[in-house]
Amino acid sequence: LVTGGTQGIGRAVARELTDLGARVAVVARAEPDTPPPAPLSRADLSDPAQARDAVARAVELLGGLEILVNNVGTNVRHTSVGY
């Protein structure tokens, strides 16, 4: 299961795992501009209920989980004084 797997590093990890023969599921908040490299579940993982549902969907799709790539995150920008 690759979180944040529709762009950037998460997308590259999901693609590489798929290319290596792994069965992969991707979780992201928003629909990507281009198709993800693996089946997508949309969820806001900051919401515990949505996170549980995303994991349950991945377990159902894949028959279990062996790897979690926790790539989800945000980039909150502040002025240097704001930190």
Side-chain angles (χ1 to χ4, degrees):
L1 176 60
V2 180
T3 66
T6 58
Q7 58 187 345
I9 293 170
R11 182 181 189 87
V13 169
R15 174 163 300 153
E16 184 69 15
L17 289 171
T18 301
D19 289 348
L20 291 171
R23 293 179 305 139
V24 177
V26 169
V27 178
R29 282 185 300 196
E31 196 68 36
D33 295 334
T34 59
L40 170 68
S41 292
R42 289 182 55 200
D44 180 350
L45 297 179
S46 68
D47 178 332
Q50 289 187 44
R52 280 189 298 274
D53 289 345
V55 170
R57 285 191 301 271
V59 167
E60 183 177 331
L61 174 70
L62 303 172
L65 289 180
E66 295 180 16
I67 299 171
L68 169 64
V69 178
N70 189 16
N71 180 63
V72 70
T74 60
N75 184 8
V76 179
R77 295 174 187 234
H78 298 282
T79 62
S80 60
V81 176
Y83 287 104

